[in-house]
Amino acid sequence: MKVHHLNCGTMHPPRGPVCVCHVLLLETDNGLVLVDAGFGLDDCADPKERVGPVRHFTRPEFQSSETAAHQLDRLGFGREDVRHIVLTHLDTDHVGGAADFPHAQLHVTSKEALAAFESPTKAERVRYGRQQWVKEHDVVEHSPNGESWRGFSAAKELDGIAPGIVLVSLPGHTRGHACVAVDAGHRWVLHCGDAFYHYGYMEGTPVPRTLWAMETAVAFDRKRVLDNHARLSELYQRSEPDLILAAAHDLELFQRARDTA
Ligand SMILES: [Zn+2]
């Protein structure tokens, strides 16, 4: 399937590198699919209400021209053509744009739905942005297990959407965080969501301290975050020629993916 790489939210964390919200737009035989949704039009119109205090740490530009809705317009697609949105997790910078596609089905792991909708812990109660959610959304929960994908044992192909879209459970950043692997024909793209913030973790080069501090502060399970860095970096270092890794916020990996699409 054809994969477009969209940045749906440039951010400028203090003393950090410029960050993006890397969203995949998939052209499937079953309509358009988004992987993550970045920020949406309502977030840009009212960041204080919609995104809350976290915006002071991430400092998004909130440009409506960067929303998936506007980028689809420019690509000549209709917003109603987006039938499904697969979310790595439900943090505000990943789900906000989903509100612009109220007719789309949302796909998340069951554990992430539990974290966001029932919020068993205090940290989870303050973490998620209920004000961004749309009542009309049909939320489909998945429990990836049993199948494996390139050594990750808890995976599930979402063939109800289209073949070649695999939800790979990788909790740590949040309780039900997942990566999404997509078959782009000549290669696979593994969208790692917030499983790591910076390509330095993959290459063994320095990671900006601001990003390390933010990643640590918001981790649901810090040990698992470190384990995930190690597993993904091992995959990255293996340099499988038919696989590229992307992280939601890493500008370098976003540009590489987009330039070789
Ligand atoms: Zn994020």
Side-chain angles (χ1 to χ4, degrees):
M1 72 190 99
K2 183 164 171 57
V3 180
H4 303 261
H5 297 270
L6 313 179
N7 167 18
C8 298
T10 303
M11 302 188 279
H12 302 269
R15 294 181 300 281
V18 175
C19 291
V20 296
C21 290
H22 191 158
V23 169
L24 307 181
L25 168 64
L26 315 179
E27 292 184 47
T28 78
D29 293 339
N30 191 17
L32 299 180
V33 178
L34 292 174
V35 176
D36 273 356
F39 292 112
L41 292 168
D42 291 345
D43 302 323
C44 297
D46 192 353
K48 183 177 175 204
E49 168 62 21
R50 295 265 304 180
V51 177
V54 70
R55 72 192 191 285
H56 299 304
F57 298 97
T58 54
R59 298 204 299 205
E61 291 182 7
F62 290 119
Q63 292 192 56
S64 55
S65 60
E66 287 190 336
T67 60
H70 276 197
Q71 296 199 58
L72 278 163
D73 295 345
R74 291 201 294 280
L75 287 165
F77 295 117
R79 293 180 200 175
E80 63 288 349
D81 298 334
V82 175
R83 308 267 304 277
H84 302 275
I85 303 176
V86 184
L87 295 161
T88 59
H89 62 299
L90 290 167
D91 278 347
T92 53
D93 50 333
H94 298 256
V95 72
D100 298 324
F101 308 95
H103 46 273
Q105 269 189 339
L106 302 191
H107 298 263
V108 298
T109 68
S110 301
K111 283 191 179 155
E112 189 65 8
L114 171 74
F117 303 146
E118 295 178 38
S119 300
T121 67
K122 180 159 179 268
E124 288 167 327
R125 282 196 287 284
V126 297
R127 170 174 205 140
Y128 295 100
R130 282 156 189 77
Q131 62 288 349
Q132 289 181 317
W133 302 343
V134 174
K135 277 203 294 292
E136 297 91 313
H137 269 146
D138 177 14
V139 179
V140 184
E141 297 180 20
H142 300 275
S143 299
N145 58 36
E147 297 171 41
S148 85
W149 187 87
R150 299 207 187 203
F152 293 89
S153 59
K156 180 186 179 188
E157 183 165 15
L158 304 180
D159 40 17
I161 301 178
I165 303 173
V166 182
L167 194 62
V168 182
S169 173
L170 209 65
H173 177 69
T174 60
R175 180 189 295 263
H177 184 278
C179 304
V180 183
V182 170
D183 183 357
H186 55 307
R187 66 179 185 191
W188 283 75
V189 179
L190 181 63
H191 188 301
C192 297
D194 284 354
F196 67 97
Y197 273 12
H198 188 265
Y199 73 96
Y201 290 119
M202 298 297 103
E203 299 191 343
T205 54
V207 172
R209 200 171 163 72
T210 305
L211 293 190
W212 172 84
M214 287 198 319
E215 190 169 15
T216 305
V218 300
F220 173 73
D221 183 334
R222 288 179 191 167
K223 177 171 180 315
R224 281 193 138 169
V225 167
L226 296 177
D227 289 347
N228 295 342
H229 288 171
R231 290 182 73 186
L232 290 167
S233 134
E234 198 263 322
L235 182 66
Y236 182 92
Q237 304 270 349
R238 254 192 269 152
S239 314
E240 294 178 10
D242 63 336
L243 173 68
I244 64 161
L245 266 61
H249 303 306
D250 189 274
L251 174 65
E252 171 75 26
L253 295 180
F254 169 73
Q255 288 173 333
R256 281 191 220 163
R258 188 193 52 193
D259 294 347
T260 57

